[in-house]
């Protein structure tokens, strides 16, 4: 079995975002039983778009505003959260370097709370676990920070 390793922080790589990326399927695949009641407020992708991306360290940022500021300071561009689905498919094995987040809170849960997509290690599982979160604060405490998946100009 050929395992593709997660690129290092700062290393540019490409990901293809396909129109088959379904924002609500991502919620279902994350294990939310109420996935039919979620809404996606972002832009859907038509066709295939290829992005040059990189992972950047976010450290213990508390909220998405801070994460967006870090993205700008480190020369990254905010991407559609749908790109995390492409990352999950391209790099299915966890690298133990902390969670990966896309700074896009386009998902609205049934309680009308905006959420963003995240992948992380759950217990000793070798594959990424998927979820959605309203805040980065818990991640900073649990994982001593996280990495942001951003576009490169």
């Amino acid at each position: 079995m050929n395992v593709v390793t997660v690129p290092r922080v700062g290393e540019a790589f490409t990901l293809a975002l396909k129109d088959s990326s379904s924002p609500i399927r991502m919620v279902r695949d994350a294990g939310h039983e109420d996935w039919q009641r979620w809404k996606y407020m972002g832009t859907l992708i038509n066709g295939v778009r290829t992005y040059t991306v990189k992972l950047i360290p976010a450290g213990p940022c508390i909220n998405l505003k801070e994460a967006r500021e870090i993205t700008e300071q480190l020369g990254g561009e905010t991407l559609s959260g749908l790109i995390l689905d492409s990352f999950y498919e391209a790099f299915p094995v966890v690298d133990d370097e902390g969670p990966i987040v896309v700074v896009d809170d386009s998902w609205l849960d049934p309680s009308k709370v905006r959420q963003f997509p995240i992948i992380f290690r759950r217990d000793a599982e070798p594959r990424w676990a998927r979820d959605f979160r309203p805040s980065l604060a818990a991640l900073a405490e649990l994982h001593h920070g996280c990495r942001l998946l951003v576009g490169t100009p």
Side-chain angles (χ1 to χ4, degrees):
M1 180 170 131
N2 188 12
V3 176
V4 180
T5 58
V6 173
R8 292 185 305 269
V9 166
E11 181 181 327
F13 58 101
T14 59
L15 285 176
L17 182 57
K18 302 173 186 145
D19 59 3
S20 61
S21 294
S22 165
I24 301 304
R25 181 187 48 75
M26 287 174 66
V27 174
R28 183 197 68 205
D29 291 352
H32 292 271
E33 293 179 8
D34 58 355
W35 61 270
Q36 299 101 329
R37 296 179 47 221
W38 283 60
K39 291 188 167 92
Y40 179 67
M41 311 305 284
T43 303
L44 295 173
I45 303 300
N46 294 316
V48 177
R49 292 191 188 165
T50 301
Y51 295 91
T52 301
V53 300
K54 64 183 176 181
L55 294 167
I56 60 173
C61 55
I62 302 300
N63 59 47
L64 290 178
K65 180 178 182 245
E66 287 178 337
R68 285 185 180 100
E69 290 169 359
I70 289 169
T71 298
E72 269 184 40
Q73 289 169 2
L74 296 177
E77 294 178 359
T78 301
L79 298 168
S80 165
L82 297 171
I83 197 79
L84 198 55
D85 204 34
S86 299
F87 184 95
Y88 178 89
E89 295 300 324
F91 306 101
V93 179
V94 175
D95 67 354
D96 288 327
E97 297 295 323
I100 297 173
V101 172
V102 177
V103 185
D104 175 13
D105 61 349
S106 294
W107 283 262
L108 204 60
D109 72 14
S111 299
K112 307 285 188 254
V113 175
R114 294 185 82 84
Q115 306 265 346
F116 61 88
I118 176 173
I119 56 175
F120 60 99
R121 176 180 282 285
R122 179 177 286 140
D123 302 323
E125 292 294 320
R127 291 182 62 89
W128 293 104
R130 305 184 216 200
D131 207 355
F132 288 82
R133 302 284 169 88
S135 165
L136 294 172
L139 297 176
E141 292 173 19
L142 294 174
H143 302 283
H144 308 291
C146 59
R147 293 168 288 173
L148 305 176
L149 180 60
V150 301
T152 59

